[in-house]
Each structure stands twice: as structure tokens, then as C-alpha cells.
Amino acid sequence: MNFDIEALKHHQLVEDGQLEGCYIHQPAKGSQQDDKAVLAERQALENMGYKVVQVQAKGRSTTFAEAMQQFVKKSGHQSK
């Protein structure tokens, strides 16, 4: 599989904070977590050893702050 990590369409690298180094699904218009293209991109990232965090959108989009809040709530991590 020819996969260009620099040309991601559905995921974004988290560069700081508690999710640093993880990729998060960034919902685009018409893009859902279970779409074939999103799943293929997620699987490619996971096969390369990256952690991919999936969050459920609250409404039409999820901001990074909302994703962080959901992750903290699910994982039990506390902000310092």
C-alpha cells in the first residue's frame, strides 16, 4: 500500500498536550468515522504504529478542545 502520511485527508496529528503524537479524526463535510476512506486511513496509521483517537462529533463538527474533554473523561486522565 502506498500511503503518504503528509497527505492525510481525515486525521490530524496532535502536536502537544495529553494526546501528543496521536492522530485524531477531523470530521469533514460528509465524512463519517465509518466511511471506507476514513477507516482505510485510520488502519494505515495504526499499522504504522500510531495511536488514532476517535471521538463522536457533538453536532456537525468536533473541535480539538471537545475531543480533549471527551478523551480525558473516557480515559480518566486529569489536566495539571
Side-chain angles (χ1 to χ4, degrees):
M1 178 180 188
N2 194 6
F3 183 75
D4 182 6
I5 198 163
E6 299 297 323
L8 295 174
K9 295 181 180 180
H10 306 286
H11 295 84
Q12 179 180 350
L13 177 63
V14 179
E15 296 182 13
D16 61 2
Q18 293 175 334
L19 294 177
E20 183 176 358
C22 296
Y23 282 85
I24 189 167
H25 176 238
Q26 290 292 89
K29 185 174 182 175
S31 171
Q32 300 297 319
Q33 291 182 7
D34 58 353
D35 289 347
K36 287 181 182 180
V38 175
L39 292 174
E41 194 172 276
R42 177 183 182 188
Q43 185 176 30
L45 286 167
E46 289 175 341
N47 287 342
M48 293 172 68
Y50 292 102
K51 181 169 180 161
V52 180
V53 178
Q54 298 279 358
V55 294
Q56 194 167 31
K58 183 173 91 177
R60 293 183 179 216
S61 65
T62 299
T63 66
F64 178 74
E66 289 170 339
M68 287 294 295
Q69 288 173 353
Q70 287 183 1
F71 175 75
V72 169
K73 188 183 260 186
K74 286 180 184 178
S75 66
H77 285 79
Q78 296 296 322
S79 299
K80 293 181 181 178

